[in-house]
Amino acid sequence: MRVKKYIVDSMPDALQKIRSDLGKDAVILNTKEIRIGGFLGLFSKKKIEVIAALDTQASTNKAKPILKQEIKTPIAQAQATAASVLAQISSVAVLEEPLPYVPDVILNHMPPIVVDKSVAKDDTVLTEIRQMKEMMSKLASRSQFTAVERHPILAALEEQLIAQEVSPLIIQQVLDRVDDELLSSGDELTASNVHAIAKNYLLHLIKTDASKYIAADTKVVHFVGPTGVGKTTTIAKIAAEQVLKHHRKVGFITSDTYRIAAVEQLKTYATILNIPLEVVFSPQDLNKAFAQLKDRDLIFMDTAGRNFRNEMYVSELHALLQGRGKSETFLVLSLTTKYKDMKVITDNFSKFNLDKVLFTKMDETDSYGSIVNLLNDFPLKLSYVTNGQNVPDDITVADEHAIISLIMGATSDE
């Protein structure tokens, strides 16, 4: 095997060099970002290290002609049959029209494969056949979801969940659970029974025994999130709760000096609640800010809602979130955000050891499926939801039962 390492500016550059040096049969073994040059880690340039290889033995074997008298073994016949079936399945999978549900039809009707005992121990071939069957099963399951005609009650449930923007995978899990429980219990398929099973399953996905409130021994609470989700107003609402209801001494720190009037907005809330406010312009200002607020029971830190894809912002935010006593980090997301974007945002902020998620603008949408999707995809805990701009009123601790009821809607029996 011939192995070669490349240091390039981009993947297209790497691919061009690999094709030129190793040919079209080369494969990429590993890629990683590195930094080159600079002084003491500064001003270095980002590069990509790519390791590629060419299997010279495979290339030799590929060029070897097949003799006419060469006879295929049963194992070779099995491999050829499997490859043919996979080729057919792959060609069907790209069609725009949905496929009917035909589980294991092709495998069940394949001619029997007689394998000699001397070659029955060929684990590689058996593994390939097993993987092929799993792939066919997944394709069939995906086709079933789009093409099978369901009972009207199940179809209504599916339409409701789709309208609430619940992910297709979770919808299929809900429908499977309904099928399993009705089959095992022998209960009649009614709207109320289906509704109850589906509701319990969705509740199971988001329900947690962990406290939604800020822990009593937490010293610092960080709020992170993208632009426009209402972090500053939300911080003021929770601070008011801590001051008026729990009688805790609260302090504010804000690093949101990029948005026009952001500091003034938080300063107004701080004045109303009689809370001290410290403004930091860089991570170096944090020590002074914490020293000024050392007598506070709880410190709320408002971070700038800048572009989460910007590497400089991410690096700066990471420095701002360095621990000073026990802390919690809340991710603030708007329910008006598309789940596709919400997922990318959460994935990017997950490097900051997120603890809880807080959803804003619940009053500005009638679609809540993204809550289930997010809590199913990420190890986050529900905390609060906001439903208006009024401080401190328009915030409440998230109620899983209420959220699932909104997603499910009413049944025809109710």
Side-chain angles (χ1 to χ4, degrees):
M1 177 177 287
R2 183 182 174 191
V3 180
K4 193 167 182 179
K5 182 170 70 174
Y6 299 86
I7 306 296
V8 293
D9 294 321
S10 64
M11 283 306 297
D13 294 342
L15 295 175
Q16 184 176 359
K17 291 183 178 181
I18 292 170
R19 290 196 188 97
S20 176
D21 294 349
L22 302 179
K24 64 179 182 179
D25 293 326
V27 295
I28 294 175
L29 301 180
N30 185 46
T31 63
K32 67 178 181 179
E33 289 187 358
I34 61 174
R35 290 190 173 274
I36 296 178
F39 178 72
L40 297 178
L42 300 176
F43 311 111
S44 59
K45 294 183 179 180
K46 186 194 298 183
K47 297 283 187 178
I48 301 175
E49 179 185 283
V50 181
I51 298 177
L54 176 65
D55 189 347
T56 54
Q57 182 64 35
S59 300
T60 303
N61 292 339
K62 185 176 179 181
K64 179 182 177 182
I66 300 176
L67 300 179
K68 290 184 178 180
Q69 63 269 28
E70 190 174 347
I71 301 175
K72 291 186 176 180
T73 65
I75 291 297
Q77 291 176 348
Q79 289 176 314
T81 303
S84 174
V85 171
L86 282 176
Q88 295 178 39
I89 294 297
S90 299
S91 63
V92 171
V94 300
L95 294 177
E96 294 183 0
E97 292 296 326
L99 296 175
Y101 177 45
V102 190
D104 291 340
V105 168
I106 298 179
L107 283 183
N108 291 339
H109 287 78
M110 284 175 58
I113 300 174
V114 181
V115 181
D116 190 271
K117 291 183 179 180
S118 63
V119 294
K121 297 180 181 180
D122 194 333
D123 293 336
T124 302
V125 176
L126 295 176
T127 299
E128 290 177 356
I129 294 175
R130 191 179 300 112
Q131 290 174 345
M132 181 190 71
K133 183 172 181 179
E134 290 175 357
M135 182 185 298
M136 293 174 63
S137 177
K138 290 178 181 178
L139 288 170
S141 177
R142 201 153 46 230
S143 301
Q144 180 187 21
F145 180 73
T146 57
V148 170
E149 290 187 6
R150 303 190 187 280
H151 187 284
I153 293 176
L154 297 179
L157 170 62
E158 182 179 3
E159 290 176 4
Q160 173 67 20
L161 297 180
I162 291 174
Q164 284 290 316
E165 299 181 10
V166 177
S167 76
L169 178 61
I170 294 177
I171 294 176
Q172 185 61 51
Q173 292 172 354
V174 171
L175 294 171
D176 290 343
R177 176 58 64 92
V178 170
D179 287 340
D180 292 343
E181 292 204 14
L182 289 180
L183 184 63
S184 62
S185 67
D187 291 339
E188 185 181 356
L189 197 160
T190 63
S192 58
N193 286 341
V194 168
H195 189 276
I197 295 171
K199 186 174 181 179
N200 286 337
Y201 183 76
L202 291 174
L203 189 62
H204 158 74
L205 294 181
I206 69 172
K207 183 73 173 177
T208 176
D209 294 331
S211 173
K212 302 180 182 68
Y213 296 94
I214 297 171
D217 58 344
T218 294
K219 180 66 176 179
V220 183
V221 182
H222 305 110
F223 292 85
V224 300
T227 58
V229 296
K231 285 195 303 297
T232 303
T233 304
T234 300
I235 290 172
K237 293 175 181 178
I238 299 179
E241 175 193 57
Q242 294 294 317
V243 171
L244 302 176
K245 183 177 180 180
H246 300 288
H247 308 291
R248 301 180 75 178
K249 296 168 65 177
V250 175
F252 284 153
I253 295 178
T254 180
S255 63
D256 192 358
T257 57
Y258 301 91
R259 187 165 55 89
I260 297 175
V263 175
E264 292 301 319
Q265 181 184 10
L266 192 58
K267 186 180 293 184
T268 300
Y269 293 134
T271 301
I272 295 172
L273 296 170
N274 194 26
I275 293 174
L277 168 67
E278 295 293 323
V279 181
V280 298
F281 294 90
S282 70
Q284 289 72 31
D285 297 332
L286 274 178
N287 289 332
K288 180 181 177 181
F290 279 106
Q292 293 291 334
L293 300 174
K294 63 182 179 180
D295 64 327
R296 301 286 100 181
D297 300 323
L298 187 62
I299 297 173
F300 287 146
M301 185 164 180
D302 185 14
T303 60
R306 295 160 66 194
N307 186 352
F308 59 91
R309 293 185 175 90
N310 186 303
E311 289 189 10
M312 289 186 62
Y313 165 50
V314 171
S315 176
E316 178 183 298
L317 185 57
H318 188 269
L320 288 169
L321 299 184
Q322 296 305 310
R324 286 169 175 79
K326 182 178 178 182
S327 64
E328 295 183 38
T329 302
F330 282 67
L331 174 64
V332 183
L333 295 173
S334 168
L335 285 173
T336 60
T337 304
K338 294 182 298 184
Y339 182 65
K340 179 181 178 182
D341 295 331
M342 195 181 288
K343 186 175 182 180
V344 174
I345 292 167
T346 306
D347 189 56
N348 277 272
F349 279 107
S350 290
K351 59 176 64 71
F352 302 125
N353 299 319
L354 302 174
D355 298 299
K356 298 174 182 176
V357 59
L358 189 157
F359 292 101
T360 63
K361 304 185 180 182
M362 194 169 186
D363 57 315
E364 297 182 23
T365 182
D366 57 3
S367 175
Y368 311 101
S370 55
I371 298 177
V372 176
N373 299 339
L374 191 83
L375 295 175
N376 183 68
D377 290 341
F378 296 92
L380 293 173
K381 306 178 189 69
L382 264 178
S383 58
Y384 297 87
V385 293
T386 71
N387 52 6
Q389 296 295 315
N390 295 325
V391 177
D393 298 326
D394 294 337
I395 189 169
T396 183
V397 173
D399 182 342
E400 295 95 337
H401 290 273
I403 291 170
I404 298 303
S405 294
L406 289 171
I407 292 173
M408 292 295 301
T411 70
S412 58
D413 294 352
E414 296 175 347

